[in-house]
Amino acid sequence: MGKIISFLLRFIPRKYLQLFSHIPLKVYTFFLKGNNVECPVCDAKLTKFLPYGRLVSRPNALCPNCLALERHRLMALYLKERTNFFTENHLKVLHVAPEYCFIDRFEAMKNLDYITADIESPLAKVKMDIHSIPFEANTFDVAICNHVMEHVDDYHQAMSELYRVLKPNGWAIIQSPQDWTKAHTFEDPSITDPRERERIFWQNDHLRLFGRDYGQELAKAGFKVTEDDFVMKMSKDLVKRYSLPSEEIVYFCEKK
């Protein structure tokens, strides 16, 4: 199964995966019912999650019921336990490059005015270039933007735009892949071979690989950045049951 998913991820256009992959996986969920793992996004209890990854297939990664990955399950828990996302009324939310597992759930939440946006995703309601967000300054209480900054031409501009459209005291969660062995973010546009880019940047459509300085890069846009080791403070049993990324830092970015 891991090899099949890896092949699909590498060679099927992303928009088709976004539109149709949930259909066969939803059927597959029936055969995985159990109680070994649990998805905090959709509450499914299964014998295991599916493997997932382009180059290296991670075991127990993909929830077939809602398509949540490890980082999405961590995000769901973080939003519930560390933010006002589920409790405060009248939150205006911008979700850039919205993930399938969240869209219907967030749209159904009565306390949110929820807007999805992306430059190419067929799942987003607003077509938008993050370098020039088509909303006025101080519009949103919350922005969510995961695994986007490694794709954009000018990530400093994209981060600044998210800062601009947040209201004072608003907050954002802006996650990206990181290589913890690197002190500094690495870019090299001279590497053009797709296979080589895939090896060095982890995907051939990544323009950079952020290092341990990612929080500092976010702060350059004006954010007060809290690098939250939330998952590292959870019990190992819960990390295993939810199959979470055990060393991921959550970047909680505030507009003070």
Side-chain angles (χ1 to χ4, degrees), residues 56-210:
V56 177
S57 187
R58 308 186 304 276
N60 234 20
L62 177 68
C63 174
N65 189 56
C66 71
L67 306 192
L69 292 167
E70 305 100 320
R71 65 178 184 267
H72 304 134
R73 294 190 288 273
L74 177 62
M75 176 68 61
L77 292 169
Y78 189 88
L79 289 172
K80 289 175 185 176
E81 297 186 23
R82 291 290 180 92
T83 78
N84 61 352
F85 190 81
F86 287 89
T87 57
E88 187 163 329
N89 289 326
H90 311 300
L91 285 179
K92 193 172 183 68
V93 179
L94 175 65
H95 194 168
V96 181
E99 297 92 341
Y100 175 86
C101 61
F102 289 134
I103 294 173
D104 288 347
R105 290 165 178 82
F106 290 172
E107 284 184 341
M109 290 171 59
K110 302 299 184 182
N111 66 313
L112 303 182
D113 178 2
Y114 177 67
I115 296 173
T116 57
D118 192 65
I119 195 168
E120 62 180 20
S121 171
L123 303 179
K125 297 292 178 62
V126 176
K127 186 174 179 61
M128 181 193 85
D129 183 347
I130 195 172
H131 296 93
S132 181
I133 297 177
F135 294 98
E136 293 183 0
N138 309 318
T139 296
F140 296 96
D141 300 287
V142 177
I144 298 173
C145 180
N146 296 321
H147 286 230
V148 171
M149 295 301 162
E150 67 274 20
H151 293 278
V152 300
D153 290 332
D154 186 342
Y155 68 90
H156 291 114
Q157 175 66 17
M159 291 172 179
S160 295
E161 277 292 277
L162 288 174
Y163 182 87
R164 180 184 66 81
V165 299
L166 278 178
K167 297 177 183 177
N169 297 315
W171 55 269
I173 295 178
I174 310 171
Q175 301 294 102
S176 285
Q178 282 180 271
D179 185 345
W180 288 98
T181 69
K182 289 182 167 58
H184 302 288
T185 294
F186 177 68
E187 296 180 297
D188 187 347
S190 70
I191 303 172
T192 57
D193 178 73
R195 292 296 178 90
E196 186 68 1
R197 293 196 65 82
E198 188 174 55
R199 184 183 69 82
I200 292 174
F201 299 110
W202 300 356
Q203 285 184 206
N204 59 27
D205 58 348
H206 286 182
L207 301 185
R208 62 195 56 85
L209 185 56
F210 290 102

Side-chain angles (χ1 to χ4, degrees), residues 16-67:
Y16 297 120
L17 293 174
Q18 290 175 313
L19 286 171
F20 303 116
S21 62
H22 65 282
I23 299 171
L25 289 174
K26 190 80 171 179
V27 174
Y28 197 66
T29 302
F30 178 80
F31 300 98
L32 292 177
K33 289 189 179 296
N35 197 34
N36 294 334
V37 297
E38 181 178 351
C39 179
V41 178
C42 67
D43 299 321
K45 295 180 176 63
L46 306 167
T47 58
K48 63 180 180 179
F49 295 125
L50 296 178
Y52 189 92
R54 289 174 178 261
L55 297 179
V56 177
S57 187
R58 308 186 304 276
N60 234 20
L62 177 68
C63 174
N65 189 56
C66 71
L67 306 192

